[in-house]
Amino acid sequence: MIRFFTAHPTASNLLMFLLLVLGLLGGPQLLRETFPGKDPTRVEITVPYPGARPEDVETAICERIENALDAVADLDTQTCEAREGLARAVARMHENSDFQVFVADVKSQIEVITDFPDRAETPRIKPLGLTDFVASVSITGPTERTDLKDYAEDVRIRMLRWGGVPIVDIKGFSSRELRVGLNADALRKFGLSVSDVARAMQAASLDLPSGTLKTRDETLLVRVVEERQTADALASLIIRSASNGGQVRLGELAEITERFAFDDDRITLNGKLAAVL
């Protein structure tokens, strides 16, 4: 072949030209990814169980989900995490199986579970791994962690409204909590104990389903939404009331502060507190 192209330089030039043309035509069709995609293999099942302890979530929710997933074809592994008020299970599919069929199988097995507790909400089922990581953006500015988290949430909402970005996660913060520091002198003044305050808070700050209301055309879910999610809202909670109209509110008995569950779960950038989106 070398002898042929040496004797016929026109043919070798034509072949080289043909290869260049094919390269130019095929170049734009080549798959180029900074982070190569991976076919999804996992399905997440979450079941809210408001007010339940992790032990109750384990026995009432997780065990039933695990038994149901045992019947799913192409199931590789499964895990179930019991948290306070929530069960989160993840089912992983065997490789080279049909993911759409796997998702449908998981959904059908979970939907036939009929012995969840009455207070448990409808299971939420969604595939995992359908999005790819694009970039991380660090935000600094406010020195208070709560203010920085609020600002990061505002940026996150604006990014989602802008379009083109389906998911934005915020890192650098643990779960937000309201801490109630009771004043012993105030408790003695009003004749209250710590357990009295705890019971009143538990009874008056609720976010629970309370049944359904059926009409001719639709079924409505009735829900009590009275959960206090800010320090001011919690401070206005009535702990005790009298027949003459007198009321004792939580703000008169305690100092209520907003903070995060873990102080060491934080990110810094150039020595400044940061949020990462």
Side-chain angles (χ1 to χ4, degrees):
M1 183 175 290
I2 297 176
R3 182 180 301 170
F4 173 80
F5 284 114
T6 303
H8 303 82
T10 303
S12 61
N13 291 333
L14 289 174
L15 178 61
M16 181 181 66
F17 178 76
L18 178 62
L19 292 176
L20 290 174
V21 171
L22 292 176
L24 292 174
L25 294 175
Q29 309 302 322
L30 293 176
L31 180 62
R32 300 182 300 275
E33 290 184 310
T34 304
F35 303 97
K38 183 181 179 181
D39 293 336
T41 59
R42 297 181 301 156
V43 178
E44 179 189 65
I45 306 102
T46 56
V47 182
Y49 188 12
R53 301 175 304 167
E55 296 84 354
D56 299 330
V57 174
E58 172 68 27
T59 56
I61 306 294
C62 281
E63 290 183 1
R64 289 169 170 79
I65 292 177
E66 291 168 352
N67 292 335
L69 292 178
D70 286 338
V72 174
D74 298 321
L75 177 69
D76 184 15
T77 60
Q78 61 164 301
T79 60
C80 188
E81 179 183 1
R83 306 176 185 175
E84 185 172 352
L86 179 70
R88 179 182 181 271
V90 176
R92 183 184 294 274
M93 175 189 75
H94 282 296
E95 291 191 10
N96 302 322
S97 299
D98 191 318
F99 186 64
Q100 297 301 324
V101 174
F102 179 71
V103 174
D105 199 2
V106 170
K107 186 175 182 180
S108 63
Q109 293 297 333
I110 296 299
E111 288 179 345
V112 298
I113 300 176
T114 59
D115 54 350
F116 279 144
D118 293 338
R119 289 192 293 115
E121 299 181 16
T122 304
R124 305 166 188 169
I125 303 169
K126 69 175 183 178
L128 296 178
L130 299 183
T131 57
D132 289 331
F133 169 77
V134 176
S136 291
V137 179
S138 297
I139 297 177
T140 60
T143 56
E144 292 292 333
R145 294 188 73 196
T146 54
D147 294 339
L148 181 60
K149 177 66 181 297
D150 291 339
Y151 181 69
E153 288 284 0
D154 180 65
V155 174
R156 172 182 173 273
I157 292 173
R158 283 186 284 159
M159 291 176 69
L160 294 174
R161 288 176 178 172
W162 172 72
V165 181
I167 297 175
V168 181
D169 294 326
I170 299 177
K171 296 183 179 180
F173 306 92
S174 55
S175 58
R176 183 176 290 190
E177 65 181 17
L178 296 173
R179 180 161 297 186
V180 179
L182 293 172
N183 186 306
D185 294 334
L187 291 177
R188 285 193 294 268
K189 175 183 176 181
F190 293 105
L192 294 168
S193 65
V194 175
S195 58
D196 293 334
V197 177
R199 282 194 297 268
M201 292 175 60
Q202 186 176 13
S205 182
L206 299 174
D207 185 2
L208 296 174
S210 56
T212 57
L213 180 63
K214 294 185 178 181
T215 66
R216 178 180 300 178
D217 301 323
E218 58 186 354
T219 300
L220 304 177
L221 175 65
V222 181
R223 188 180 186 92
V224 178
V225 184
E226 282 293 329
E227 189 175 21
R228 312 299 174 102
Q229 298 185 352
T230 65
D232 291 340
L234 197 58
S236 65
L237 190 149
I238 298 174
I239 301 299
R240 175 172 291 180
S241 58
S243 57
N244 61 1
Q247 296 177 335
V248 178
R249 301 182 183 273
L250 183 59
E252 302 176 60
L253 304 172
E255 179 184 1
I256 305 171
T257 56
E258 187 174 356
R259 51 171 298 166
F260 295 92
F262 305 104
D263 290 334
D264 56 350
D265 187 9
R266 62 175 66 202
I267 296 174
T268 57
L269 178 65
N270 296 328
K272 296 181 179 180
L273 189 66
V276 175
L277 281 67

